């Protein structure tokens, strides 16, 4: 009785599946999923109740510095193979129109939208999955050549929101309705609302929205009057200058930087750029929480890798001084500095 229950319950198979990912055992992972399908568990449940939460845990283990980038990549590849195996087993025939699923330009987290694509396919849609980092011009060109009922776009990182908005508007000019999803639009979809686009928190909701074209098109237009102050555009133009200046400042104020390996230096430069990019995205949607949440995350990630949170505070202070003529950016940076100081005080306590 217990064995049968376990076989038909994705949550009961979760630990075994996660162990297979940890061991980079593709065959064991596919076997776990296959046993669930054999026991009569619907393919959609296996995708959403087994693969999706396990992949979320993979990301958390990387963030906690428990897994290396290589381990995370290996686990993600196996999850993709499992999704392919489930899709091959189900193999539904399309009975509805075409839906195009893609990641935003510059967005490389392709597994979550792949899960959405497979759920849509299971519900009868003819799905074209374009994968990671699709340039807007290429997506529009595809839409002009192939009639689509809707486009589903994924964004995992809020710093991509300005690119996302341009991509959304490009689809609309092709008269194709859009639904978006992913953490990049906020846990409650607030940045999707700011950009005037339909948002889905998960794959089933995305599928329901795609099936309801009226709801898909019934969204309030984007309201971004704050962009008239030109802070976003000016910050983007100064991106390279800001990163170079912040790196020089770290060399001067943090002696340990001189001994960094090339890999450590590359990571530092990337982090300096991410700070500018998240600040720019926060200015674009005029939401300081986008930036302060990122500051919290970055400080915690760096702390788990032995870099004190104070290093983030130094860079925020440097950018604040350089951007003294940017009122909104200055306010966001000051809030970020306060968050780093609070984290530093907590660590000391």
């Amino acid at each position: 009785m217990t064995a049968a229950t376990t076989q038909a319950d994705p949550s009961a198979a979760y630990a075994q599946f996660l162990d297979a990912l940890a061991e980079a055992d593709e065959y064991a992972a596919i076997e776990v999923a296959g046993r669930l399908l054999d026991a009569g568990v619907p393919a959609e449940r296996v995708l959403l109740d087994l693969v999706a939460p396990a992949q979320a845990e993979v990301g958390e283990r990387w963030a906690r510095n428990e897994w290396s980038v290589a381990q995370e990549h290996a686990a993600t590849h196996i999850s993709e193979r499992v999704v392919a195996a489930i899709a091959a087993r189900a193999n539904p025939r399309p009975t509805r129109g075409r839906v195009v699923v893609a990641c935003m330009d510059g967005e490389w987290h392709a597994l979550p939208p792949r899960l959405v694509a497979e759920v849509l396919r299971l519900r009868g849609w003819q799905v074209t999955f374009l994968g990671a980092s699709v340039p807007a011009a290429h997506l529009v060109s595809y839409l002009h050549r192939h009639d689509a009922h809707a486009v589903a776009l994924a964004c995992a990182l809020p710093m991509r929101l300005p690119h996302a908005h341009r991509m959304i508007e490009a689809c609309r000019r092709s008269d194709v309705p859009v639904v978006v999803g992913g953490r990049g639009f906020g846990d409650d979809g607030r940045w999707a609302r700011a950009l005037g686009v339909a948002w889905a928190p998960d794959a089933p909701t995305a599928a329901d929205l795609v099936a309801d074209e009226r709801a898909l098109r019934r969204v309030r237009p984007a309201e971004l009057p704050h962009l008239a102050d030109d802070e976003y555009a000016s910050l983007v133009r100064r991106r390279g200058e800001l990163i170079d200046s912040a790196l020089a400042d770290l060399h001067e104020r943090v002696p340990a930087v001189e001994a960094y390996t090339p890999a450590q230096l590359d990571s530092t430069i990337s982090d300096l750029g991410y700070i500018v990019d998240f600040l720019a995205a926060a200015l674009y949607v005029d939401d300081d929480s986008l930036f302060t949440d990122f500051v919290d995350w970055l400080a915690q990630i760096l702390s788990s890798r032995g870099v004190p949170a104070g290093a983030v505070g130094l860079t925020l202070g440097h950018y604040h001084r350089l951007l003294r003529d940017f009122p909104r950016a200055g306010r966001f940076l000051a809030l970020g500095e306060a968050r780093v100081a609070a984290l530093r005080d907590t660590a000391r306590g």
Side-chain angles (χ1 to χ4, degrees):
M1 186 73 170
T2 303
T5 301
T6 299
Q7 288 176 345
D9 184 358
S11 62
Y14 174 80
Q16 188 178 5
F17 184 75
L18 196 57
D19 286 343
L21 296 184
E23 295 298 322
D25 191 337
E26 176 183 327
Y27 302 100
I30 292 175
E31 186 177 342
V32 171
R35 283 200 302 268
L36 289 169
L37 295 173
D38 291 340
V41 179
E44 183 172 319
R45 277 197 64 204
V46 180
L47 291 170
L48 300 181
D49 297 345
L50 180 73
V51 180
Q55 190 60 29
E57 175 61 21
V58 168
E60 290 298 323
R61 291 187 180 189
W62 170 82
R64 296 192 298 262
N65 205 29
E66 296 173 10
W67 281 15
S68 68
V69 171
Q71 287 174 294
E72 185 269 333
H73 283 187
T76 300
H77 171 72
I78 291 170
S79 291
E80 290 171 343
R81 295 283 291 165
V82 171
V83 172
I86 294 170
R89 281 278 298 268
N91 196 29
R93 291 291 181 264
T95 58
R96 308 166 94 169
R98 183 190 303 273
V99 179
V100 177
V101 181
C103 291
M104 302 294 179
D105 193 3
E107 175 60 67
W108 298 97
H109 296 81
L111 184 56
R114 173 72 189 280
L115 292 171
V116 173
E118 296 307 329
V119 168
L120 288 166
R121 204 185 313 273
L122 288 168
R123 296 194 181 192
W125 293 98
Q126 180 181 353
V127 178
T128 301
F129 180 59
L130 299 183
S133 191
V134 180
H138 293 205
L139 175 59
V140 170
S141 175
Y142 187 88
L143 295 177
H144 285 165
R145 295 176 61 186
H146 301 276
D147 186 35
H149 171 82
V151 174
L153 297 176
C155 180
L157 298 174
M159 71 176 185
R160 298 291 178 196
L161 285 173
H163 300 282
H165 192 205
R166 289 192 285 274
M167 206 161 181
I168 291 162
E169 291 303 311
C171 292
R172 283 180 172 157
R173 286 193 292 273
S174 300
D175 197 33
V176 181
V178 181
V179 59
V180 299
R183 291 183 177 180
F185 292 99
D187 292 337
D188 58 357
R190 60 191 180 277
W191 299 319
R193 289 190 292 275
L195 299 182
V197 64
W199 170 78
D202 50 41
T205 307
D208 291 342
L209 264 174
V210 167
D212 186 351
E213 187 172 355
R214 276 182 151 186
L216 205 54
R217 293 183 182 272
R218 191 173 57 241
V219 292
R220 296 176 60 183
E223 295 183 5
L224 305 170
H226 49 273
L227 293 179
D229 66 14
D230 207 39
E231 283 200 33
Y232 164 76
S234 297
L235 180 67
V236 171
R237 285 194 294 270
R238 293 183 60 179
R239 183 180 188 275
E241 167 205 332
L242 289 167
I243 294 171
D244 289 345
S245 177
L247 184 61
D249 182 67
L250 284 178
H251 274 290
E252 183 177 331
R253 301 174 67 182
V254 183
V257 174
E258 296 293 339
Y260 276 10
T261 65
Q264 288 174 315
L265 193 59
D266 284 345
S267 293
T268 300
I269 293 170
S270 293
D271 290 339
L272 297 176
Y274 290 148
I275 293 172
V276 176
D277 294 338
F278 273 86
L279 178 60
L283 290 173
Y284 196 88
V285 296
D286 197 32
D287 189 340
D288 58 72
S289 70
L290 189 159
F291 185 66
T292 54
D293 287 351
F294 162 71
V295 168
D296 285 345
W297 178 85
L298 180 62
Q300 291 165 9
I301 289 289
L302 293 178
S303 294
S304 73
R305 288 154 175 74
V307 179
V312 178
L314 288 177
T315 296
L316 296 180
H318 181 74
Y319 284 155
H320 197 171
R321 289 188 293 274
L322 291 179
L323 298 172
R324 57 186 175 274
D325 295 329
F326 289 58
R328 285 196 297 132
R331 180 166 60 85
F332 294 175
L333 286 162
L335 290 169
E337 290 177 87
R339 294 287 274 268
V340 171
L343 289 170
R344 187 172 60 238
D345 291 344
T346 300
R348 286 173 178 169

